[in-house]
């Protein structure tokens, strides 16, 4: 019997619950109703995937992380426990994409942030088109997830206060497009994908995708 993950999960979840008050019931319910797929989320700090993984357990949740994270022995131990996939942001992504598809096929929900970098104030930033390539090459559906409250974590830690974090899950979808989209088409698809995350956030946190959050989608096929 695999003992490492439940033990690590117990202690890591306990630590996270000391600094955060997490509400992710809606997310866990949505995951339990779906087969493993690609989970996209807004990126505010490094706690998102650990929170998603620990609070969804025993559902298998993991994610992509920058390759340099494995240089830290503690992070390497934790990330390997949850079968995270390293990605070299300076190189080709094809190998990481194959690993993501393999992880999904083996029963893992794989988390990735389309923004790539953290938002300092919690407002949704411009997404990167790599998420479109990943979803289409891996041929997997996408579940949009958004959270707010995480932008206050470090400020509240200094005040010895727990931070309420609220996670919401949208409706899963597939990208419907035959062939390879050109640059303009890719941007439209990206805008539609990001709009699905934006609509889960408070209006003042939707950033440049405020309008897209209210519009119909041409290239998304909802499941």
């Amino acid at each position: 019997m695999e003992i490492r993950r439940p033990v690590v999960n117990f202690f890591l979840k306990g630590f996270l619950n000391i600094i955060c008050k997490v509400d992710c019931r809606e997310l866990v319910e949505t995951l339990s109703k779906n087969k493993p797929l690609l989970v996209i989320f807004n990126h505010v700090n490094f706690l998102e995937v650990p929170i998603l993984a620990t609070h969804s357990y025993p559902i298998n949740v993991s994610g992509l992380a920058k390759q340099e994270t494995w240089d830290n022995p503690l992070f390497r131990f934790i990330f390997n426990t949850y079968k995270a996939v390293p990605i070299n942001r300076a190189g080709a992504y094809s190998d990481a994409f194959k690993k993501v598809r393999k992880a999904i096929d083996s029963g893992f929900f794989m988390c990735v942030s389309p923004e790539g970098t953290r938002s300092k104030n919690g407002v949704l930033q411009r997404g990167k088109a790599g998420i479109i390539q990943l979803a289409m090459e891996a041929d997997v559906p996408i579940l949009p997830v958004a959270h707010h409250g995480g932008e206050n974590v470090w400020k509240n830690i200094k005040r010895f206060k727990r931070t309420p974090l609220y996670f919401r899950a949208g409706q899963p979808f597939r990208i419907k497009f035959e062939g390879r989209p050109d640059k303009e088409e890719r941007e439209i698809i990206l805008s539609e994908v990001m709009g699905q995350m934006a609509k889960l956030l408070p209006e003042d946190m939707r950033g440049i995708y405020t309008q897209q959050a209210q519009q119909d989608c041409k290239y998304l096929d909802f499941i």
Side-chain angles (χ1 to χ4, degrees):
M1 179 179 177
E2 171 66 39
I3 191 66
R4 174 169 160 178
R5 193 182 306 170
V7 171
V8 171
N9 203 85
F10 176 81
F11 287 104
L12 184 56
K13 183 179 180 181
F15 168 74
L16 292 170
N17 282 339
I18 291 173
I19 61 176
C20 300
K21 184 178 180 180
V22 181
D23 182 353
C24 61
R25 290 166 294 179
E26 177 184 302
L27 171 61
V28 173
E29 183 178 350
T30 301
L31 293 178
S32 66
K33 292 178 179 179
N34 286 277
K35 294 180 179 179
L37 42 66
L38 190 65
V39 178
I40 58 171
F41 64 92
N42 56 315
H43 195 16
V44 178
N45 56 51
F46 72 91
L47 296 176
E48 292 122 358
V49 175
I51 287 174
L52 288 170
T54 56
H55 287 72
S56 299
Y57 186 82
I59 296 172
N60 290 323
V61 175
S62 190
L64 275 76
K66 59 184 180 180
Q67 189 170 291
E68 307 90 90
T69 307
W70 272 256
D71 294 338
N72 182 299
L74 176 60
F75 288 163
R76 180 169 64 246
F77 175 79
I78 293 174
F79 278 46
N80 286 343
T81 298
Y82 288 94
K83 311 296 185 184
V85 173
I87 185 167
N88 182 356
R89 296 184 296 179
Y93 293 164
S94 58
D95 185 53
F97 290 174
K98 291 177 183 177
K99 290 179 180 178
V100 167
R101 178 55 199 254
K102 184 177 180 181
I104 291 174
D105 287 344
S106 67
F108 278 81
F109 290 85
M110 293 299 292
C111 302
V112 60
S113 168
E115 296 166 282
T117 56
R118 302 170 193 168
S119 169
K120 294 180 180 179
N121 56 8
V123 175
L124 192 60
Q125 303 177 102
R126 185 177 297 278
K128 300 186 184 302
I131 189 64
I132 307 304
Q133 183 182 354
L134 170 56
M136 294 184 71
E137 287 192 14
D139 188 27
V140 291
I142 297 173
L143 174 69
V145 169
H147 69 93
H148 63 278
E151 65 277 8
N152 300 316
V153 166
W154 303 119
K155 179 175 63 178
N156 286 340
I157 285 177
K158 293 177 182 178
R159 298 174 179 176
F160 299 99
K161 290 177 59 178
R162 291 177 78 199
T163 300
L165 263 70
Y166 304 93
F167 284 82
R168 293 190 61 199
Q171 185 176 356
F173 58 84
R174 282 184 177 272
I175 295 173
K176 54 177 181 180
F177 193 92
E178 294 294 332
R180 190 180 184 89
D182 60 27
K183 184 177 180 180
E184 182 178 348
E185 291 165 333
R186 193 165 58 245
E187 286 301 316
I188 295 173
I189 298 171
L190 177 61
S191 181
E192 291 183 355
V193 169
M194 296 299 291
Q196 294 306 300
M197 279 201 301
K199 70 193 303 182
L200 302 172
L201 289 167
E203 289 190 22
D204 61 345
M205 298 179 68
R206 294 176 179 176
I208 62 173
Y209 298 105
T210 299
Q211 185 176 355
Q212 187 58 52
Q214 323 248 342
Q215 295 179 347
D216 293 333
C217 297
K218 177 181 178 182
Y219 292 114
L220 305 187
D221 187 13
F222 292 92
I223 301 172

